[in-house]
Amino acid sequence: MLLFRTLITFLKDKEYQDLLMTTAIILAFGSIMFHYLEGWTWIDSIYFSVITLTTVGYGDFSPQTEIGKIFTIFYIFIGIGIILSFINTVYNHYNTVRIEKNKKD
């Protein structure tokens, strides 16, 4: 129940909404670029963007063009900071809600 309540308060907060929007924009930008640079389907482009930014890197897709490889380098540097900020913000918000709940108890 605490996780659900934390998620609801997270989604209502303007600062966190901005962070979610920024993350969505970065994922969309990468997906569009990979779709056109590499000629991948939309789902493959979105998949690769998510896998790349979360640093999972399964290896089933990789850029084959030089411009695609160069874009990927910059995409990782730009995106990794945003993804890490997102994860850190969610974690900090969860801890804040948890601490407030413990104070009430």
Side-chain angles (χ1 to χ4, degrees):
M1 195 63 170
L2 179 61
L3 181 62
F4 182 70
R5 186 173 40 236
T6 302
L7 183 60
I8 295 299
T9 58
F10 177 77
L11 293 174
K12 289 181 180 179
D13 191 319
K14 175 74 170 121
E15 180 182 342
Y16 300 125
Q17 289 173 356
D18 291 343
L19 187 55
L20 274 173
M21 184 59 68
T22 302
T23 302
I25 289 169
I26 292 296
L27 285 171
F29 176 68
S31 299
I32 291 167
M33 293 300 290
F34 288 121
H35 176 74
Y36 289 108
L37 292 176
E38 296 297 322
W40 294 338
T41 64
W42 285 108
I43 193 70
D44 288 342
S45 299
I46 294 166
Y47 170 78
F48 185 75
S49 294
V50 170
I51 295 304
T52 300
L53 290 183
T54 58
T55 68
V56 173
Y58 290 126
D60 50 352
F61 283 96
S62 62
Q64 300 301 309
T65 63
E66 286 186 19
I67 191 73
K69 292 174 183 177
I70 292 169
F71 173 74
T72 302
I73 292 168
F74 289 106
Y75 184 64
I76 290 169
F77 284 123
I78 292 169
I80 197 73
I82 290 174
I83 297 299
L84 290 174
S85 295
F86 177 76
I87 292 168
N88 186 51
T89 302
V90 170
Y91 176 77
N92 288 338
H93 184 76
Y94 174 79
N95 273 341
T96 301
V97 170
R98 188 175 54 87
I99 289 169
E100 288 173 4
K101 182 188 179 296
N102 287 340
K103 285 180 182 179
K104 286 181 183 178
D105 294 341

